[in-house]
Amino acid sequence: MSDLKIQDILFCAAFAGEIDKLKLDPRIHTFEAGIGELEAAINLQKYLLDPSTWKPKAILGIGSAGVYTWIPRKEWEGKFGISKVFANYQIAFLDKKIRLPETMTFKYEFTDLQFPFEGNDFVECATNGTGSVTLEDLSPRAMERIKVEGLGFENMEAFGLAKVCNQFNIPFGTIFALTNKVGPKGSEEWKLSWRKHSDKLQEKILSYL
């Protein structure tokens, strides 16, 4: 078990509904970073540069994630996803439909982070921090690249938060409610399930206090 305590962590969510239960407990530090990697990164950077704000020992992104189809649903449904490796691969880039500069950084790893959670209800995979939600079935080329790199989850804010934490040398990870399979029906599945899964995730975190 990690020496890192829940009280030492700043939990960063995309919107208020992902941290509403945590905010009711004064021992837990939360921050609504905004939706999308750019919004989340800018707001977290502003938070960390503000001399009046509380400074955490680690930061965890909290929210929901879709799961890529190479992971069978029976292995993740009803569980929580954790990550400490974050990539930024747009699906069109993996399909070679767009070109990005080779000088860009596409991956951050926080190997020293030890999560203060344990048990069989946590699934650990790397997260693909895309700038949008994937609404297509992945091509064989894209699927193979994602699978080879161990990218199991997709989330819109994770990479932006990871980039800022890397710059500030703050340990970073994510803990997700696994709400849907990535693909054409992902958004609809998310809409139907995110609230109950968020409640379950927040209650799980509170149980570690």
Side-chain angles (χ1 to χ4, degrees), residues 176-196:
F176 295 128
L178 302 177
T179 53
N180 59 276
K181 181 176 75 172
V182 172
K185 298 180 180 179
S187 286
E188 290 305 312
E189 189 178 356
W190 178 85
K191 289 177 184 178
L192 294 172
S193 66
W194 80 266
R195 179 71 267 181
K196 67 177 181 180

Side-chain angles (χ1 to χ4, degrees), residues 2 4 58 84-85 109-115 169-172:
S2 170
L4 184 65
K84 51 186 176 182
V85 178
E109 300 185 29
F110 298 84
T111 54
D112 293 336
L113 175 70
Q114 290 187 311
F115 289 99
N169 198 29
I170 298 174
F172 175 71

Side-chain angles (χ1 to χ4, degrees), residues 64-76:
S64 59
V67 184
Y68 288 114
T69 54
W70 66 267
I71 303 178
R73 184 179 284 268
K74 65 181 181 181
E75 294 184 11
W76 60 264

Side-chain angles (χ1 to χ4, degrees), residues 4-183:
L4 184 65
K5 294 180 171 55
I6 301 297
Q7 298 93 321
D8 299 327
I9 298 169
L10 178 66
F11 289 92
C12 290
F15 60 95
E18 295 178 326
I19 48 172
D20 51 354
K21 290 182 178 296
L22 297 184
K23 288 176 70 173
L24 297 175
D25 193 308
R27 296 170 293 178
I28 297 182
H29 300 273
T30 61
F31 180 63
E32 186 178 339
I35 297 173
E37 62 178 306
L38 182 59
E39 186 83 5
I42 290 173
N43 288 328
L44 179 59
Q45 180 174 272
K46 287 170 62 178
Y47 174 96
L48 294 173
L49 288 173
D50 185 343
S52 68
T53 57
W54 174 81
K55 299 304 186 288
K57 292 183 180 179
I59 292 175
L60 289 186
I62 179 175
S64 59
V67 184
Y68 288 114
T69 54
W70 66 267
I71 303 178
R73 184 179 284 268
K74 65 181 181 181
E75 294 184 11
W76 60 264
E77 194 165 40
K79 297 183 179 182
F80 309 108
I82 55 177
S83 291
K84 51 186 176 182
V85 178
F86 304 92
N88 182 215
Y89 295 136
Q90 303 301 327
I91 302 305
F93 170 71
L94 296 181
D95 278 333
K96 297 189 176 182
K97 294 178 180 178
I98 61 173
R99 183 172 294 172
L100 297 173
E102 295 180 0
T103 54
M104 291 179 65
T105 299
F106 292 107
K107 184 175 285 188
Y108 292 107
E109 300 185 29
F110 298 84
T111 54
D112 293 336
L113 175 70
Q114 290 187 311
F115 289 99
F117 316 108
E118 59 184 0
N120 294 329
D121 46 358
F122 294 97
V123 179
E124 184 169 353
C125 271
T127 294
N128 192 25
T130 61
S132 57
V133 175
T134 301
L135 295 177
E136 294 183 351
D137 290 324
L138 270 64
S139 69
R141 183 205 301 267
M143 181 65 75
E144 181 62 23
R145 180 69 179 274
I146 284 171
K147 186 175 180 180
V148 165
E149 298 205 28
L151 295 169
F153 310 139
E154 182 174 276
N155 173 269
M156 290 177 59
E157 293 75 38
F159 189 80
L161 296 173
K163 185 177 183 67
V164 173
C165 288
N166 180 72
Q167 291 177 333
F168 282 80
N169 198 29
I170 298 174
F172 175 71
T174 52
I175 179 166
F176 295 128
L178 302 177
T179 53
N180 59 276
K181 181 176 75 172
V182 172

